[in-house]
């Protein structure tokens, strides 16, 4: 498609949860709600359109063993794009993926730098592994390297106790989060366990990944402080398999992981019901495949979140949370077109009809 060509999206354009329009025009790679005067080279695409989907917990440039090469990173990004994911919050990667920003055909990425973990308390080759006295310095470093986010590992297995345990003293995280905020970055943390949550929220954290340890005691704290969660339920589904691998050596940890898994839907629904912001993230790129955004939306619905709110968690609401435009006048034309109304059945998200990125049809 030439730069002078015009796209006409015709049918139902979901500019917002309750803002449904019949036509959208793409002119010069940007959204217009008005037919351009004298447009001749027009391509019409019919269907139901959404803003490009958001995967708010994804890892481009990472696999189960650590950083990957550019060809593998490209394949990961293309897989997400084909699934309709056009905006990624990369929740930690040891690879330098800045080159992706120069590719007009690849999704936009908001980076959180590299994971910051306690020494020998995370997956090998993933994170900066440090001690608490260095936490502020490393948070400052990753805040400057990222795109407005920093990622901590809030808890992990403690091999001495044989169970999940917090990684950081409270004073260290308070100072680190304050430094990130001073530098204009938000902070999120990987957390499975119960005990790590309240200290992080009280220290001013902005988001928690996974959040399987939420309880009726901590959910109100999240709601009061407006701390978001990204549940990554497609990842939590792997907990029984992980637990089976740890039964012999770490039985307490294995039992804990199973219990967190068993109550996962109740946990997410209770958080949603309390007013905690919930967003879609797949945790792709470690051991999970890319392109799972539709499955994660389906998991949120299975947990009891209404379909429209589950859609917002990967579309309008997610983009607003991350400070990126949706389908507004003059915004970059990043959108996905479907055969049917995804509000009626979120499974429609699994089969995009057309993917349009930066105003060009790419899938």
């Amino acid at each position: 498609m030439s730069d002078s060509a015009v796209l006409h999206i015709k049918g139902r354009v979901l500019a917002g949860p309750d803002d449904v329009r019949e036509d959208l025009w793409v002119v010069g790679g940007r959204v217009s709600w008005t037919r351009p005067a004298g447009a001749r080279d027009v391509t019409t695409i019919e269907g139901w359109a959404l803003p490009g989907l958001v995967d708010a917990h994804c890892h481009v440039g990472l696999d189960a063993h650590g950083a990957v090469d550019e060809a593998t990173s490209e394949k990961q990004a293309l897989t997400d794009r084909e699934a309709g994911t056009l905006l990624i919050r990369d929740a930690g990667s040891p690879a330098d993926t800045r080159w992706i920003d120069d590719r007009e055909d690849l999704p936009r990425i908001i980076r959180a730098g590299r994971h910051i973990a306690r020494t020998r308390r995370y997956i090998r080759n993933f994170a900066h592994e440090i001690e608490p006295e260095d936490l502020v310095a490393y948070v400052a470093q990753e805040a400057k390297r990222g795109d407005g986010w920093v990622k901590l590992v809030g808890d992990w297995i403690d091999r001495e106790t044989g169970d999940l345990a917090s990684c950081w003293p409270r004073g260290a995280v308070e100072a680190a989060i304050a430094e990130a905020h001073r530098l204009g970055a938000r902070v999120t943390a990987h957390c499975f366990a119960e005990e790590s949550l309240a200290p992080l929220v009280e220290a001013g954290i902005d988001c928690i990944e996974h959040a399987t340890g939420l309880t009726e005691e901590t959910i109100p704290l999240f709601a009061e402080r407006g701390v978001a969660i990204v549940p990554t339920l497609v990842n939590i589904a792997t907990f029984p398999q992980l637990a089976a691998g740890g039964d012999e050596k770490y039985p307490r940890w294995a039992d804990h992981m199973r219990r967190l898994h068993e109550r996962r839907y109740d946990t997410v629904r209770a958080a949603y019901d309390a007013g905690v912001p919930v967003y879609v993230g797949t945790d792709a790129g470690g051991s999970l495949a890319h392109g799972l955004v539709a499955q994660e939306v389906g998991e949120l619905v299975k947990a009891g979140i209404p379909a429209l709110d589950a859609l917002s968690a990967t579309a309008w609401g997610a983009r607003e949370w991350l400070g990126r435009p949706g389908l507004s006048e003059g915004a970059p034309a990043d959108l996905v077109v479907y055969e049917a109304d995804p509000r009626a059945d979120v499974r429609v998200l699994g089969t995009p009809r057309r993917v349009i990125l930066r105003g060009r049809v790419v899938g």
Side-chain angles (χ1 to χ4, degrees), residues 9 11-25 31-34 47-53 308 311-320 324-332 334-338 341-343:
I9 311 301
R12 293 291 184 271
V13 180
L14 301 174
D18 301 307
D19 183 0
V20 184
R21 311 189 189 190
E22 293 185 357
D23 298 277
L24 178 150
W25 304 86
V31 170
S32 174
W33 298 112
T34 305
W48 293 79
L50 276 175
L53 304 186
L308 191 61
L311 282 176
S312 186
T314 193
W316 318 285
R319 285 180 167 272
E320 182 179 3
R324 297 298 190 272
L327 299 180
S328 56
E329 182 71 30
D334 297 346
L335 60 142
V336 192
V337 181
Y338 301 94
D341 186 355
R343 300 173 303 173

Side-chain angles (χ1 to χ4, degrees), residues 94-171:
D96 180 1
T97 60
R98 284 291 172 189
W99 58 272
I100 289 176
D101 295 347
D102 297 325
R103 288 279 298 270
E104 295 289 308
D105 60 330
L106 296 180
R108 304 174 194 272
I109 299 182
I110 299 170
R111 297 169 184 82
R114 188 172 184 174
H115 302 77
I116 303 172
R118 190 77 178 263
T119 307
R120 299 188 67 239
R121 294 284 302 280
Y122 199 49
I123 304 167
R124 185 178 298 176
N125 301 324
F126 276 33
H128 295 298
E129 297 190 18
I130 63 168
E131 288 304 295
E133 58 268 25
D134 296 320
L135 185 59
V136 170
Y138 273 83
V139 163
Q141 171 185 298
E142 296 310 301
K144 293 172 184 175
R145 291 181 57 197
D147 300 312
W149 284 90
V150 175
K151 171 72 175 294
L152 306 179
V153 177
D155 60 41
W156 196 249
I157 188 170
D158 182 333
R159 291 170 178 82
E160 292 185 6
T161 64
D163 199 359
L164 295 169
S166 297
C167 292
W168 309 103
R170 178 154 180 164

